[in-house]
Amino acid sequence: MIDEKSARERVVRAADELFYARGVQAVGMDTVRAAAGVSLKRIYGLFASKDELIVAVLRHRTMLWDAGLASAAERATTARERILAIFDFLDAWFRQPDFRGCAFINTHGELGANSPAVVDAVREQKLTFQAYVARLVADLGAPPDLAPQLAILAEGAQTTAAIAGTPDAASQARAAAETLIDAAVR
C-alpha cells in the first residue's frame, strides 16, 4: 500500500495530465482514479472535493512554472537577460507537443464563475508571477510601470500561442519586451 504523500502525488500528477489535456470539467473523478491507480475512497480521503483536487493541481502547476522560470533565468547574467529569459522559457514551452495554453487561464475560464477556490489559486499564481517580474524590473533599474506591461506580454503570448497553435507568440512578445525595456531604461 502506498503512503499518503505518494498517493497524493500520484493523484495530483494524474489529474494534472488529464485536466490539462482534456479540460477540468470533461474529466471525472473515476478517470482520475483509473489514471492514478488510487481508489476513489482514498482520493476523497485525500481531497474532500474535486475543487480541492483542482486547487492542488494548480499549486503543482505553480511549482512547475516557478521552477521553469528559475531554470531559464539561471543562465542569464544581467537583469535584462533574466527578463528576456521569461520569453525564452515560454518559447521552449510552446514547442512542447502537449502544449495547451496556460492551465491557470484554462481552468479559470472553465470554473472561475463557480469556484472561489479556483479563482483564488489562479489569482495567487498570477500575482506571484507579476511580483517576480516586478523584482526583475527593479533589478534593472527601470520604472515600476514596466513590470505589468511585461507580465501582460507573457500572459498574452500564452493565450495567443495556444489559440494559434504556433510558438511564434513567444518570439513576438520577446521582441516587444526588448522594445519596452529599451524605451524604459533610456
Side-chain angles (χ1 to χ4, degrees), residues 23-175:
V24 175
Q25 292 183 16
V27 175
M29 293 300 279
D30 198 49
T31 303
V32 173
R33 176 205 54 79
V38 176
S39 73
L40 276 178
K41 181 178 180 180
R42 184 95 185 261
I43 291 173
Y44 281 112
L46 296 167
F47 305 97
S49 65
K50 186 175 179 183
D51 261 16
E52 193 174 301
L53 174 58
I54 294 164
V55 169
V57 166
L58 292 173
R59 290 204 172 104
H60 170 73
R61 279 271 163 176
T62 297
M63 290 184 337
L64 295 175
W65 171 263
D66 291 348
L69 286 176
S71 177
E74 74 183 18
R75 294 183 293 277
T77 58
T78 67
R80 177 187 169 86
E81 289 173 357
R82 283 189 293 280
I83 292 169
L84 296 175
I86 293 167
F87 301 95
D88 298 336
F89 164 70
L90 293 176
D91 186 73
W93 176 38
F94 297 170
R95 293 176 188 282
Q96 296 298 313
D98 66 343
F99 175 71
R100 303 283 181 272
C102 174
F104 301 95
I105 294 170
N106 296 348
T107 304
H108 187 273
E110 282 193 68
L111 299 176
N114 301 315
S115 175
V118 166
V119 170
D120 289 346
V122 170
R123 283 187 181 151
E124 180 181 331
Q125 189 274 334
K126 297 303 177 191
L127 289 171
T128 300
F129 175 61
Q130 291 166 8
Y132 172 74
V133 175
R135 285 190 304 275
L136 295 177
V137 166
D139 291 347
L140 182 66
D145 290 352
L146 178 62
Q149 295 167 1
L150 295 171
I152 288 169
L153 280 175
E155 297 292 351
Q158 293 173 64
T159 303
T160 301
I163 293 169
T166 175
D168 296 344
S171 62
Q172 293 161 351
R174 189 185 201 281

